[in-house]
Amino acid sequence: MTRPLAADSPLLQPLTAGALQTANRVWMAPLTRNRADADGTPNDLQAEYYRQRAGAGLIISEGSQPSAVGQGYPSTPGVHTDAHEAGWKRIADAVHAEGGKIAVQLMHAGRISHPDTIAGQTPVAPSAIRPAGAVFTVNGEQEFPTPRELATDELPGVMAEFADAARRAVAAGIDGVELHAANGYLLHQFLADGTNQRTDSYGGSPENRARFIVEVAKATADAIGADRVGIRISPAHPFNDISEDDLSVYEVLTGRLAEIGLAYLHVLAEADDPIVGKLRAAWPNTFVLNTGFGVESDRDQFERLIADGTVDAVTVGRKFIANPDLVQRWAEGADLNEPDEATFYGGDGKGYTDYPALSA
Ligand SMILES: Cc1cc2nc3c(=O)[nH]c(=O)nc-3n(C[C@H](O)[C@H](O)[C@H](O)COP(=O)(O)O)c2cc1C
Protein backbone atom coordinates (compact mmCIF):
# COMPACT_ATOMS: atom_id res chain seq x y z
CA MET A 1 0.00 0.00 0.00
CA THR A 2 1.32 3.43 -0.96
CA ARG A 3 1.03 6.36 1.48
CA PRO A 4 -2.17 8.40 1.07
CA LEU A 5 -1.70 12.00 -0.09
CA ALA A 6 -2.07 14.74 2.52
CA ALA A 7 -5.17 16.89 2.02
CA ASP A 8 -2.85 19.81 1.22
CA SER A 9 -0.88 17.83 -1.41
CA PRO A 10 -0.04 20.11 -4.37
CA LEU A 11 -1.62 17.50 -6.67
CA LEU A 12 -5.02 18.00 -5.05
CA GLN A 13 -5.14 21.80 -5.10
CA PRO A 14 -7.43 23.67 -7.50
CA LEU A 15 -5.95 25.57 -10.42
CA THR A 16 -7.15 28.37 -12.66
CA ALA A 17 -5.78 28.12 -16.21
CA GLY A 18 -7.26 31.02 -18.17
CA ALA A 19 -11.02 30.46 -18.11
CA LEU A 20 -10.56 26.82 -17.02
CA GLN A 21 -11.04 26.23 -13.32
CA THR A 22 -9.82 22.76 -12.48
CA ALA A 23 -10.49 21.03 -9.17
CA ASN A 24 -7.01 19.47 -9.00
CA ARG A 25 -3.65 19.38 -10.82
CA VAL A 26 -3.94 15.82 -12.20
CA TRP A 27 -5.27 16.20 -15.73
CA MET A 28 -6.07 13.41 -18.17
CA ALA A 29 -3.72 13.33 -21.19
CA PRO A 30 -5.19 13.15 -24.71
CA LEU A 31 -5.64 9.49 -25.69
CA THR A 32 -6.77 8.28 -29.11
CA ARG A 33 -9.09 5.30 -28.60
CA ASN A 34 -10.73 4.91 -32.06
CA ARG A 35 -14.26 4.28 -30.85
CA ALA A 36 -16.22 7.10 -32.52
CA ASP A 37 -18.82 6.23 -35.17
CA ALA A 38 -17.38 5.61 -38.64
CA ASP A 39 -18.30 9.18 -39.72
CA GLY A 40 -16.48 10.63 -36.69
CA THR A 41 -19.58 11.26 -34.58
CA PRO A 42 -18.84 10.92 -30.85
CA ASN A 43 -21.22 8.33 -29.35
CA ASP A 44 -22.72 7.26 -26.02
CA LEU A 45 -19.92 4.77 -25.32
CA GLN A 46 -17.45 7.65 -25.43
CA ALA A 47 -19.74 9.76 -23.24
CA GLU A 48 -19.70 6.98 -20.63
CA TYR A 49 -15.87 6.63 -20.84
CA TYR A 50 -15.34 10.34 -20.27
CA ARG A 51 -18.06 10.51 -17.58
CA GLN A 52 -16.19 7.82 -15.63
CA ARG A 53 -12.99 9.92 -15.77
CA ALA A 54 -14.57 13.24 -14.67
CA GLY A 55 -12.44 13.20 -11.48
CA ALA A 56 -9.47 14.43 -13.55
CA GLY A 57 -8.85 18.16 -12.97
CA LEU A 58 -9.29 18.58 -16.72
CA ILE A 59 -9.95 15.89 -19.29
CA ILE A 60 -8.14 16.59 -22.56
CA SER A 61 -9.95 14.53 -25.17
CA GLU A 62 -8.46 12.22 -27.74
CA GLY A 63 -7.09 13.94 -30.84
CA SER A 64 -10.08 15.05 -32.96
CA GLN A 65 -9.96 16.24 -36.57
CA PRO A 66 -11.06 19.80 -37.44
CA SER A 67 -11.65 18.74 -41.07
CA ALA A 68 -12.18 15.58 -43.10
CA VAL A 69 -8.68 15.68 -44.60
CA GLY A 70 -7.21 16.17 -41.13
CA GLN A 71 -8.19 12.68 -39.95
CA GLY A 72 -5.26 10.35 -39.30
CA TYR A 73 -6.76 7.07 -38.16
CA PRO A 74 -10.09 5.20 -38.39
CA SER A 75 -12.92 6.05 -35.97
CA THR A 76 -11.34 9.15 -34.46
CA PRO A 77 -13.91 11.86 -33.62
CA GLY A 78 -14.44 14.90 -35.81
CA VAL A 79 -15.43 18.45 -34.85
CA HIS A 80 -16.63 19.69 -38.22
CA THR A 81 -20.28 18.61 -38.77
CA ASP A 82 -23.55 19.22 -36.95
CA ALA A 83 -23.66 15.52 -35.98
CA HIS A 84 -20.16 15.78 -34.45
CA GLU A 85 -21.24 18.85 -32.49
CA ALA A 86 -24.31 17.04 -31.14
CA GLY A 87 -22.11 14.09 -30.11
CA TRP A 88 -19.69 16.36 -28.25
CA LYS A 89 -22.65 17.93 -26.45
CA ARG A 90 -23.57 14.53 -25.02
CA ILE A 91 -19.98 14.11 -23.81
CA ALA A 92 -19.78 17.62 -22.33
CA ASP A 93 -23.09 17.11 -20.52
CA ALA A 94 -21.99 13.72 -19.13
CA VAL A 95 -18.68 15.12 -17.80
CA HIS A 96 -20.31 18.25 -16.36
CA ALA A 97 -23.00 16.21 -14.61
CA GLU A 98 -20.17 14.61 -12.61
CA GLY A 99 -18.56 18.00 -11.85
CA GLY A 100 -15.69 17.58 -14.35
CA LYS A 101 -14.18 19.76 -17.08
CA ILE A 102 -13.24 18.75 -20.62
CA ALA A 103 -11.24 20.28 -23.47
CA VAL A 104 -11.19 18.84 -26.98
CA GLN A 105 -7.78 18.24 -28.52
CA LEU A 106 -7.83 19.56 -32.12
CA MET A 107 -5.55 17.29 -34.10
CA HIS A 108 -4.95 17.73 -37.82
CA ALA A 109 -2.86 14.70 -38.75
CA GLY A 110 -1.34 16.26 -41.88
CA ARG A 111 0.92 13.71 -43.60
CA ILE A 112 0.27 11.02 -40.92
CA SER A 113 -2.73 9.69 -42.82
CA HIS A 114 -3.73 7.67 -45.85
CA PRO A 115 -6.30 8.04 -48.68
CA ASP A 116 -8.19 5.03 -47.26
CA THR A 117 -8.92 7.07 -44.11
CA ILE A 118 -9.89 10.32 -45.82
CA ALA A 119 -12.22 9.25 -48.65
CA GLY A 120 -9.52 8.95 -51.28
CA GLN A 121 -7.96 12.38 -50.71
CA THR A 122 -4.19 12.80 -50.57
CA PRO A 123 -2.93 13.81 -47.10
CA VAL A 124 -1.59 17.38 -46.85
CA ALA A 125 1.63 18.67 -45.29
CA PRO A 126 3.97 21.68 -45.23
CA SER A 127 6.20 19.91 -47.77
CA ALA A 128 5.76 16.86 -50.00
CA ILE A 129 7.95 14.60 -47.88
CA ARG A 130 6.78 11.03 -47.30
CA PRO A 131 7.03 9.74 -43.72
CA ALA A 132 8.92 6.47 -43.26
CA GLY A 133 6.80 3.48 -42.32
CA ALA A 134 3.16 2.53 -42.40
CA VAL A 135 -0.13 3.71 -40.91
CA PHE A 136 -3.18 1.81 -39.68
CA THR A 137 -6.25 2.11 -41.93
CA VAL A 138 -9.60 0.32 -42.21
CA ASN A 139 -7.83 -1.92 -44.74
CA GLY A 140 -4.98 -2.75 -42.39
CA GLU A 141 -1.45 -1.34 -42.30
CA GLN A 142 -0.51 0.62 -45.42
CA GLU A 143 2.66 2.43 -46.48
CA PHE A 144 2.41 6.20 -46.07
CA PRO A 145 1.83 7.99 -49.38
CA THR A 146 3.73 11.14 -50.33
CA PRO A 147 1.61 14.05 -49.04
CA ARG A 148 0.57 17.08 -51.07
CA GLU A 149 2.23 20.37 -50.14
CA LEU A 150 -0.29 22.95 -48.93
CA ALA A 151 -0.18 26.07 -51.12
CA THR A 152 0.38 29.36 -49.31
CA ASP A 153 -3.10 30.57 -50.25
CA GLU A 154 -4.67 27.43 -48.75
CA LEU A 155 -3.29 28.12 -45.26
CA PRO A 156 -5.92 30.67 -44.15
CA GLY A 157 -8.57 28.03 -44.91
CA VAL A 158 -6.84 25.51 -42.63
CA MET A 159 -6.63 28.15 -39.87
CA ALA A 160 -10.35 28.79 -40.31
CA GLU A 161 -11.04 25.06 -39.90
CA PHE A 162 -9.34 25.09 -36.50
CA ALA A 163 -11.31 28.21 -35.51
CA ASP A 164 -14.61 26.71 -36.70
CA ALA A 165 -13.95 23.46 -34.85
CA ALA A 166 -13.20 25.41 -31.67
CA ARG A 167 -16.46 27.33 -32.13
CA ARG A 168 -18.37 24.07 -32.54
CA ALA A 169 -16.74 22.59 -29.44
CA VAL A 170 -17.71 25.57 -27.29
CA ALA A 171 -21.21 25.63 -28.80
CA ALA A 172 -21.49 22.00 -27.66
CA GLY A 173 -20.67 23.05 -24.09
CA ILE A 174 -17.02 21.88 -24.16
CA ASP A 175 -14.85 23.98 -21.81
CA GLY A 176 -11.92 24.66 -24.16
CA VAL A 177 -9.65 23.29 -26.86
CA GLU A 178 -6.06 22.11 -27.00
CA LEU A 179 -4.14 22.66 -30.25
CA HIS A 180 -2.11 19.52 -30.99
CA ALA A 181 1.32 20.79 -32.07
CA ALA A 182 3.10 17.65 -30.83
CA ASN A 183 3.89 14.08 -31.88
CA GLY A 184 4.52 14.69 -35.57
CA TYR A 185 1.06 15.83 -36.73
CA LEU A 186 0.37 18.83 -39.01
CA LEU A 187 1.31 21.67 -36.64
CA HIS A 188 4.48 19.87 -35.53
CA GLN A 189 5.29 19.20 -39.21
CA PHE A 190 5.42 22.99 -39.72
CA LEU A 191 7.72 23.50 -36.72
CA ALA A 192 10.24 20.77 -37.53
CA ASP A 193 13.05 21.44 -39.99
CA GLY A 194 12.91 17.82 -41.23
CA THR A 195 9.30 18.12 -42.46
CA ASN A 196 9.11 21.82 -43.34
CA GLN A 197 11.24 22.76 -46.34
CA ARG A 198 9.00 25.56 -47.57
CA THR A 199 10.43 28.60 -49.28
CA ASP A 200 7.52 30.96 -48.47
CA SER A 201 7.12 32.89 -45.20
CA TYR A 202 6.07 29.66 -43.40
CA GLY A 203 9.42 27.90 -43.84
CA GLY A 204 13.10 28.51 -43.19
CA SER A 205 13.85 30.57 -40.07
CA PRO A 206 12.46 29.60 -36.64
CA GLU A 207 10.20 32.68 -36.84
CA ASN A 208 8.81 31.44 -40.17
CA ARG A 209 8.36 27.82 -39.03
CA ALA A 210 6.43 29.01 -35.96
CA ARG A 211 4.24 31.33 -38.06
CA PHE A 212 1.52 28.85 -39.06
CA ILE A 213 0.97 27.65 -35.49
CA VAL A 214 0.88 31.22 -34.20
CA GLU A 215 -1.72 32.15 -36.83
CA VAL A 216 -3.79 29.03 -36.05
CA ALA A 217 -3.64 29.98 -32.36
CA LYS A 218 -4.71 33.58 -33.13
CA ALA A 219 -7.63 32.44 -35.27
CA THR A 220 -8.73 29.96 -32.59
CA ALA A 221 -8.34 32.54 -29.81
CA ASP A 222 -10.38 35.05 -31.83
CA ALA A 223 -13.11 32.42 -32.17
CA ILE A 224 -13.52 31.32 -28.54
CA GLY A 225 -11.21 33.50 -26.40
CA ALA A 226 -7.49 32.88 -25.77
CA ASP A 227 -8.31 31.91 -22.20
CA ARG A 228 -10.03 28.74 -23.45
CA VAL A 229 -7.17 27.64 -25.72
CA GLY A 230 -4.19 25.50 -24.69
CA ILE A 231 -1.45 23.99 -26.84
CA ARG A 232 0.62 20.80 -26.72
CA ILE A 233 4.21 20.54 -27.96
CA SER A 234 6.83 17.76 -27.89
CA PRO A 235 10.23 19.33 -28.61
CA ALA A 236 12.63 16.88 -30.33
CA HIS A 237 10.25 13.95 -29.94
CA PRO A 238 11.00 11.74 -32.97
CA PHE A 239 7.53 10.14 -33.08
CA ASN A 240 6.03 9.94 -36.60
CA ASP A 241 9.39 10.38 -38.31
CA ILE A 242 10.05 13.89 -36.99
CA SER A 243 13.58 15.25 -36.99
CA GLU A 244 14.43 18.57 -35.36
CA ASP A 245 17.97 19.96 -35.32
CA ASP A 246 16.99 23.43 -34.29
CA LEU A 247 14.98 23.68 -31.07
CA SER A 248 15.15 27.50 -30.91
CA VAL A 249 11.82 27.39 -32.78
CA TYR A 250 10.16 26.44 -29.47
CA GLU A 251 11.39 29.54 -27.69
CA VAL A 252 10.19 31.71 -30.57
CA LEU A 253 6.83 29.92 -30.59
CA THR A 254 6.37 30.17 -26.83
CA GLY A 255 7.09 33.90 -26.89
CA ARG A 256 4.51 34.51 -29.62
CA LEU A 257 1.86 32.35 -27.96
CA ALA A 258 2.40 34.13 -24.64
CA GLU A 259 1.58 37.42 -26.41
CA ILE A 260 -1.74 35.91 -27.54
CA GLY A 261 -2.41 34.86 -23.93
CA LEU A 262 -3.23 31.17 -24.37
CA ALA A 263 -4.50 29.48 -21.21
CA TYR A 264 -1.83 26.80 -20.93
CA LEU A 265 1.29 25.28 -22.46
CA HIS A 266 1.37 21.47 -22.34
CA VAL A 267 4.88 20.08 -22.84
CA LEU A 268 5.69 16.44 -23.51
CA ALA A 269 9.25 15.95 -22.19
CA GLU A 270 11.15 14.29 -19.40
CA ALA A 271 11.08 16.45 -16.28
CA ASP A 272 14.87 17.00 -16.21
CA ASP A 273 15.12 17.93 -19.91
CA PRO A 274 16.67 21.45 -19.99
CA ILE A 275 13.97 22.61 -22.42
CA VAL A 276 11.40 22.32 -19.61
CA GLY A 277 13.10 25.01 -17.51
CA LYS A 278 13.70 27.23 -20.56
CA LEU A 279 10.08 27.12 -21.70
CA ARG A 280 8.74 27.49 -18.16
CA ALA A 281 10.77 30.67 -17.78
CA ALA A 282 9.40 32.04 -21.08
CA TRP A 283 5.76 31.18 -20.33
CA PRO A 284 3.73 33.44 -18.03
CA ASN A 285 0.59 31.27 -17.83
CA THR A 286 -0.21 27.73 -16.69
CA PHE A 287 2.57 25.23 -17.48
CA VAL A 288 1.60 21.56 -17.79
CA LEU A 289 3.96 18.59 -18.14
CA ASN A 290 3.56 15.07 -19.50
CA THR A 291 6.63 12.92 -19.04
CA GLY A 292 6.24 11.08 -22.32
CA PHE A 293 5.92 7.57 -23.62
CA GLY A 294 9.17 6.19 -22.20
CA VAL A 295 8.84 6.67 -18.47
CA GLU A 296 5.71 5.81 -16.49
CA SER A 297 3.88 8.75 -14.94
CA ASP A 298 4.83 8.77 -11.27
CA ARG A 299 2.65 10.28 -8.55
CA ASP A 300 5.39 11.22 -6.08
CA GLN A 301 7.63 12.74 -8.75
CA PHE A 302 4.66 14.81 -9.97
CA GLU A 303 3.89 15.99 -6.44
CA ARG A 304 7.48 17.24 -6.06
CA LEU A 305 7.44 18.96 -9.48
CA ILE A 306 4.38 20.98 -8.53
CA ALA A 307 5.64 21.66 -5.00
CA ASP A 308 8.95 23.12 -6.26
CA GLY A 309 7.26 25.19 -8.99
CA THR A 310 8.73 23.28 -11.96
CA VAL A 311 5.17 22.86 -13.31
CA ASP A 312 1.61 23.89 -12.39
CA ALA A 313 -0.14 20.67 -13.40
CA VAL A 314 0.61 17.28 -14.96
CA THR A 315 -1.22 15.07 -17.41
CA VAL A 316 -1.45 11.31 -17.11
CA GLY A 317 -2.27 8.96 -19.98
CA ARG A 318 -2.11 5.21 -19.57
CA LYS A 319 -2.95 5.19 -15.87
CA PHE A 320 -6.19 7.04 -16.68
CA ILE A 321 -7.04 4.41 -19.29
CA ALA A 322 -6.98 1.71 -16.61
CA ASN A 323 -8.13 3.76 -13.62
CA PRO A 324 -11.22 5.91 -14.21
CA ASP A 325 -10.92 7.15 -10.60
CA LEU A 326 -7.15 7.72 -10.74
CA VAL A 327 -7.23 10.91 -8.65
CA GLN A 328 -9.12 9.17 -5.85
CA ARG A 329 -6.77 6.16 -6.02
CA TRP A 330 -3.69 8.42 -5.88
CA ALA A 331 -5.22 10.41 -3.02
CA GLU A 332 -5.91 7.27 -1.01
CA GLY A 333 -2.71 5.44 -1.98
CA ALA A 334 -4.85 2.61 -3.38
CA ASP A 335 -3.60 -0.05 -5.80
CA LEU A 336 -3.96 0.66 -9.52
CA ASN A 337 -5.49 -1.45 -12.32
CA GLU A 338 -3.05 -2.29 -15.13
CA PRO A 339 -3.85 -1.06 -18.67
CA ASP A 340 -4.44 -3.66 -21.40
CA GLU A 341 -2.55 -2.50 -24.50
CA ALA A 342 -4.47 -4.87 -26.78
CA THR A 343 -7.62 -2.77 -26.33
CA PHE A 344 -6.02 0.71 -26.61
CA TYR A 345 -6.97 1.37 -30.24
CA GLY A 346 -10.49 0.46 -31.35
CA GLY A 347 -13.07 -2.05 -30.20
CA ASP A 348 -16.02 -1.77 -27.87
CA GLY A 349 -16.44 -1.27 -24.13
CA LYS A 350 -13.89 -3.99 -23.31
CA GLY A 351 -10.73 -2.32 -22.07
CA TYR A 352 -12.55 1.02 -22.37
CA THR A 353 -15.50 1.44 -20.01
CA ASP A 354 -15.10 -1.77 -17.98
CA TYR A 355 -12.09 -0.93 -15.79
CA PRO A 356 -13.43 -1.08 -12.23
CA ALA A 357 -13.59 1.97 -9.99
CA LEU A 358 -12.80 1.59 -6.27
CA SER A 359 -16.39 1.95 -5.20
CA ALA A 360 -17.66 -0.55 -7.82
C1 LIG B 1 -3.41 4.78 -26.49
C2 LIG B 1 -2.72 6.11 -26.59
C3 LIG B 1 -3.28 7.11 -27.38
C4 LIG B 1 -2.70 8.38 -27.44
N1 LIG B 1 -3.31 9.37 -28.18
C5 LIG B 1 -2.84 10.64 -28.13
C6 LIG B 1 -3.55 11.71 -28.76
O1 LIG B 1 -4.63 11.54 -29.36
N2 LIG B 1 -3.01 12.95 -28.68
C7 LIG B 1 -1.82 13.20 -28.02
O2 LIG B 1 -1.38 14.35 -27.96
N3 LIG B 1 -1.14 12.21 -27.39
C8 LIG B 1 -1.64 10.95 -27.41
N4 LIG B 1 -0.99 9.95 -26.72
C9 LIG B 1 0.15 10.31 -25.84
C10 LIG B 1 -0.34 10.54 -24.40
O3 LIG B 1 -1.09 11.74 -24.32
C11 LIG B 1 0.83 10.62 -23.40
O4 LIG B 1 1.73 11.62 -23.83
C12 LIG B 1 1.57 9.30 -23.26
O5 LIG B 1 0.66 8.23 -23.05
C13 LIG B 1 2.58 9.33 -22.08
O6 LIG B 1 1.91 9.55 -20.84
P1 LIG B 1 1.67 8.34 -19.80
O7 LIG B 1 3.04 7.78 -19.47
O8 LIG B 1 1.02 8.95 -18.60
O9 LIG B 1 0.83 7.33 -20.49
C14 LIG B 1 -1.51 8.66 -26.70
C15 LIG B 1 -0.95 7.63 -25.93
C16 LIG B 1 -1.53 6.38 -25.85
C17 LIG B 1 -0.92 5.33 -24.97
Side-chain angles (χ1 to χ4, degrees):
M1 180 96 183
T2 321
R3 83 182 153 91
L5 293 177
D8 64 354
S9 164
L11 287 170
L12 302 179
Q13 302 315 304
L15 179 66
T16 299
L20 305 166
Q21 314 228 324
T22 79
N24 60 60
R25 313 288 179 106
V26 184
W27 295 5
M28 180 170 154
L31 294 159
T32 291
R33 304 301 307 275
N34 310 83
R35 281 159 168 96
D37 291 352
D39 69 351
T41 302
N43 54 41
D44 289 339
L45 184 66
Q46 289 171 282
E48 173 58 10
Y49 164 79
Y50 286 116
R51 186 195 68 75
Q52 291 173 350
R53 286 158 180 78
L58 176 70
I59 294 171
I60 303 166
S61 83
E62 60 207 279
S64 305
Q65 57 273 8
S67 62
V69 77
Q71 182 170 359
Y73 308 103
S75 300
T76 56
V79 203
H80 56 92
T81 70
D82 290 348
H84 297 161
E85 190 177 316
W88 283 112
K89 182 168 185 339
R90 288 202 295 278
I91 292 177
D93 289 350
V95 170
H96 291 156
E98 299 289 333
K101 296 277 164 68
I102 180 166
V104 167
Q105 189 188 51
L106 295 181
M107 164 174 156
H108 190 309
R111 69 178 192 156
I112 302 301
S113 186
H114 189 278
D116 286 5
T117 305
I118 51 179
Q121 298 182 82
T122 301
V124 297
S127 300
I129 302 169
R130 195 174 77 82
V135 62
F136 192 74
T137 75
V138 280
N139 301 313
E141 287 245 307
Q142 309 248 33
E143 286 274 296
F144 282 112
T146 300
R148 179 176 75 73
E149 176 173 325
L150 283 163
T152 311
D153 65 5
E154 286 181 280
L155 298 180
V158 183
M159 295 166 204
E161 288 167 355
F162 275 90
D164 287 344
R167 249 184 236 109
R168 281 193 183 275
V170 167
I174 295 286
D175 299 290
V177 302
E178 176 174 285
L179 302 173
H180 192 356
N183 296 351
Y185 299 104
L186 182 70
L187 301 186
H188 197 183
Q189 290 158 27
F190 271 87
L191 285 176
D193 28 18
T195 39
N196 181 347
Q197 296 181 0
R198 299 177 72 91
T199 52
D200 63 4
S201 60
Y202 294 90
S205 66
E207 191 75 43
N208 280 1
R209 279 182 284 123
R211 188 181 313 280
F212 181 63
I213 296 86
V214 171
E215 292 181 0
V216 166
K218 266 196 200 130
T220 309
D222 286 348
I224 64 167
D227 57 358
R228 293 192 180 278
V229 182
I231 187 162
R232 188 176 219 210
I233 55 174
S234 56
H237 198 300
F239 193 65
N240 282 324
D241 200 21
I242 281 290
S243 66
E244 290 180 290
D245 290 338
D246 176 11
L247 294 185
S248 66
V249 71
Y250 286 99
E251 286 163 73
V252 172
L253 177 71
T254 305
R256 296 285 169 276
L257 296 177
E259 287 163 15
I260 302 172
L262 295 196
Y264 70 83
L265 179 68
H266 184 184
V267 180
L268 204 158
E270 294 200 13
D272 58 359
D273 186 325
I275 193 121
V276 170
K278 267 193 200 155
L279 297 180
R280 168 67 156 172
W283 184 253
N285 299 337
T286 299
F287 189 92
V288 187
L289 185 75
N290 178 267
T291 47
F293 289 95
V295 269
E296 276 282 309
S297 297
D298 178 73
R299 184 194 77 166
D300 292 353
Q301 179 200 23
F302 285 168
E303 192 179 41
R304 286 192 299 275
L305 289 171
I306 298 173
D308 71 14
T310 306
V311 305
D312 297 308
V314 292
T315 66
V316 183
R318 288 161 292 184
K319 288 190 163 78
F320 258 118
I321 289 180
N323 298 278
D325 52 355
L326 180 68
V327 177
Q328 188 192 346
R329 285 178 192 255
W330 271 5
E332 294 179 13
D335 290 341
L336 300 184
N337 304 317
E338 286 300 317
D340 167 25
E341 288 187 22
T343 50
F344 275 5
Y345 303 106
D348 51 22
K350 186 173 170 327
Y352 190 56
T353 49
D354 64 354
Y355 286 104
L358 281 177
S359 50

